């Protein structure tokens, strides 16, 4: 795989399927930028909560999305000590941990159903990809809506039990295994059933169930598919 070549890679899938971790490993291997679009929906949710914008106020939520001052960068070694995978600055403030708070968790799926919010964020995501030239983008609608022209589309999934276990390790609040699994299943239900850009397996996607695979095995499968896709 020639270095310097810029690839567009779309990784979609259910919550806790390993998208973020796998995306970051691939980005480091391929030396291309990485964007977790879930963090953008979370940032809009955080600002709405802070500013007292009602979750039913679509125009108010879209205004926040349209003006979102969002920067995502890889975590430095120092920052990684608190368990984060990357750093997100919103209006210059490091909100990385706040994006995983219980309140944001509770409201982010409803916010992500709002078509006006999605339109703003999708436009921003396409612009980020255009400027980067090549990118690994993680989300729910990347292969289907944001980057349908991607060189490779991947759809990751895992059983609810495995996903709940992974999410509990990432989140800032303590939950029982049962609570974590219920939360994920509710999130999946909203993500799959919403009218605007629901979570789907994009046509032509490489589907990987990550239950019994380690990170290296998953990234190997994706690298093989990428080699096949670009040759
Ligand atoms: O991947 P995550 O848990 O950070 O995503 C948070 C929420 O945002 C989840 O309900 C799915 C939604 N989302 C979305 O609808 N579209 C995306 N591209 C990314 C996330």
């Amino acid at each position: 795989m020639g270095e310097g070549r810029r690839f567009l890679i779309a990784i979609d899938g259910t919550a806790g399927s390993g998208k973020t971790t796998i995306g970051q490993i691939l980005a480091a291997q391929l030396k291309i930028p990485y964007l977790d679009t879930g963090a953008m929906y979370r940032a809009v949710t955080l600002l709405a909560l802070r500013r007292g914008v009602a979750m039913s106020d679509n125009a108010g939520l879209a205004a926040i999305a349209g003006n979102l001052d969002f920067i995502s960068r890889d975590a430095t070694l120092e920052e990684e000590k608190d368990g984060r995978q990357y750093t997100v600055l919103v209006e210059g403030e490091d909100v990385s941990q706040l994006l995983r708070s219980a309140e944001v968790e509770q409201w982010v799926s409803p916010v992500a159903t709002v078509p006006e919010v999605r339109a703003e964020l999708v436009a921003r995501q396409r612009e980020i990809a255009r400027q980067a030239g090549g990118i690994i983008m993680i989300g729910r609608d990347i292969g289907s809506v944001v980057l349908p022209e991607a060189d490779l589309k991947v759809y990751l999934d895992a059983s609810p039990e495995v996903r709940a276990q992974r999410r509990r390790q990432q989140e800032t609040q303590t939950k029982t295994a049962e609570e974590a699994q219920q939360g994920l299943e509710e999130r999946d239900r909203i993500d799959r059933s919403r009218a605007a850009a629901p979570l789907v397996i994009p046509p032509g996607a490489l589907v990987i169930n990550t239950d019994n695979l380690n990170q290296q095995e998953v990234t190997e499968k994706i690298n093989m598919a990428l080699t096949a896709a670009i040759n």
Side-chain angles (χ1 to χ4, degrees), residues 10-17 19 37 41 109 112-113 118 138-145 154-158 163 184-203 205:
I11 304 185
D12 294 296
T14 48
S17 58
K19 300 185 298 294
T37 58
Y41 289 92
S109 292
T113 65
R118 304 198 68 86
I138 314 292
R140 302 292 191 291
D141 61 340
I142 309 305
S144 57
V145 174
V154 179
Y155 184 92
L156 297 184
D157 206 353
R163 297 190 292 118
L184 278 180
E185 285 176 354
E186 174 63 5
R187 156 103 26 110
D188 290 350
R189 192 190 61 71
I190 299 176
D191 291 344
R192 287 201 174 102
S193 61
R194 69 181 176 224
L199 171 66
V200 290
I201 300 178

Side-chain angles (χ1 to χ4, degrees), residues 16 23 33 44 72 75 77 87 103 130 137 144 160 168 209 218 224:
V44 171
S72 169
L77 288 177
T87 290
E103 260 199 310
R130 197 189 61 75
M137 210 178 271
S144 57
R168 279 176 80 204
N209 182 304
V218 177
M224 274 168 57

